[in-house]
C-alpha cells in the first residue's frame, strides 16, 4: 500500500530531470526561457543547481515551488537504473517522456491518498484503494505506460471519486 511519503521528491536520488525535461517560459518565477529537453544553464555536471541557495534572488523562485511528486527518483532509480541521459543522450527522450508520465500518475495518486482520509463509507474506500492499486501498478518498471488518453481517463476517475467523497462529507447519509 502506498503512502504520502512515497510521493515526496528526493532530489539526491534523481538526475535533475526537472531542470532539463520541462519547457520554461520566461516569467516572474523563471528568469529565462528554455525548450523542453535543454539543460538549464545553472545546472552543474554533478546534477546540482549552482544557484540553489539563491533561487529567488536570481529570479528562479518557481524552481523552489516545483513538485515532481517523487517521479524523478522513481524514473532514475527504478525505470532506468545505472543509466544516465548524460552518458547516453539517445536515452534522454525516453527518460523525459517516462518522467512526465510518472509525474502525472503520481500527482493523481497524491490526490487519492489524501482523499481516502476523508472517506466515510467502506465501499468508497474500496473504490479509492482499487484505483490507487491500478494507477500505482502502471508506474512500475515493466508496466505499459499509459498514453495521454488513458491518463485523462484516470484523471476523470479520480475527480469522480473525490466528488463522491466530498458529497458524503456534506451529507453523511450518502455514505
Ligand atoms: S535554476 Fe537551478 S533548480 Fe532551477 S532549473 Fe535551473 S538548475 Fe534546476
Amino acid at each position: 500500500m502506498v503512502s504520502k511519503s512515497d510521493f515526496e521528491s528526493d532530489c539526491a536520488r534523481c538526475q535533475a530531470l526537472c531542470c532539463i525535461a520541462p519547457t520554461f517560459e520566461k516569467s516572474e518565477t523563471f528568469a529565462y526561457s528554455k525548450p523542453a529537453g535543454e539543460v538549464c544553464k545553472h545546472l552543474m555536471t554533478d546534477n546540482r543547481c549552482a544557484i540553489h541557495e539563491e533561487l529567488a534572488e536570481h529570479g528562479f523562485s518557481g524552481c523552489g515551488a516545483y513538485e515532481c511528486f517523487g517521479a524523478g527518483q522513481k524514473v532514475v532509480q527504478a525505470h532506468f537504473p545505472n543509466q544516465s541521459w548524460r552518458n547516453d543522450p539517445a536515452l534522454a527522450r525516453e527518460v523525459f517522456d517516462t518522467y512526465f508520465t510518472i509525474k502525472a500518475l503520481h500527482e493523481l495518486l497524491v490526490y487519492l491518498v489524501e482523499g481516502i482520509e476523508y472517506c466515510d463509507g467502506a465501499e468508497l474506500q474500496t473504490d479509492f484503494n482499487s484505483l490507487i492499486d491500478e494507477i500505482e501498478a502502471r508506474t512500475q518498471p515493466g508496466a505499459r505506460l499509459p498514453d495521454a488518453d488513458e491518463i485523462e481517463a484516470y484523471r476523470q476517475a479520480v475527480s469522480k471519486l473525490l466528488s463522491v467523497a466530498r458529497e458524503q462529507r456534506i451529507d453523511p447519509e450518502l455514505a
Side-chain angles (χ1 to χ4, degrees):
M1 190 57 173
V2 295
S3 68
K4 277 187 195 174
S5 62
D6 293 317
F7 307 110
E8 291 170 1
S9 53
D10 182 354
C11 303
R13 299 177 65 232
C14 185
Q15 291 173 347
L17 300 187
C18 64
C19 304
I20 308 142
T23 300
F24 288 125
E25 296 293 336
K26 183 175 179 179
S27 66
E28 284 184 3
T29 57
F30 199 85
Y32 81 108
S33 297
K34 83 162 196 65
E38 182 177 293
V39 179
C40 174
K41 63 185 180 184
H42 295 300
L43 189 67
M44 301 188 290
T45 52
D46 63 357
N47 291 329
R48 290 187 303 123
C49 173
I51 59 168
H52 181 69
E53 304 304 325
E54 318 164 306
L55 284 169
E57 291 88 328
H58 289 270
F60 291 85
S61 60
C63 300
Y66 186 86
E67 183 52 66
C68 79
F69 305 103
Q73 71 259 27
K74 179 178 271 187
V75 170
V76 167
Q77 301 293 334
H79 287 258
F80 297 93
N82 306 314
Q83 299 174 77
S84 170
W85 57 268
R86 284 196 189 275
N87 301 328
D88 185 357
L91 190 70
R93 186 69 265 157
E94 192 184 350
V95 171
F96 298 155
D97 286 348
T98 303
Y99 166 73
F100 286 125
T101 300
I102 301 295
K103 177 176 177 287
L105 295 179
H106 274 204
E107 184 173 12
L108 294 177
L109 287 167
V110 168
Y111 294 148
L112 289 170
V113 168
E114 289 180 350
I116 200 170
E117 293 179 7
Y118 298 97
C119 291
D120 291 324
E123 194 177 325
L124 186 58
Q125 286 184 354
T126 300
D127 291 344
F128 266 78
N129 280 321
S130 296
L131 191 53
I132 287 171
D133 289 346
E134 182 179 335
I135 295 177
E136 207 274 330
R138 300 295 294 271
T139 73
Q140 295 302 318
R144 185 180 62 77
L145 287 172
D147 61 21
D149 289 342
E150 289 176 290
I151 292 173
E152 181 54 30
Y154 281 139
R155 196 167 281 135
Q156 288 180 17
V158 170
S159 176
K160 192 172 166 192
L161 279 185
L162 291 174
S163 293
V164 174
R166 249 191 314 270
E167 284 164 16
Q168 286 190 351
R169 296 295 289 182
I170 294 167
D171 184 355
E173 294 206 348
L174 291 171

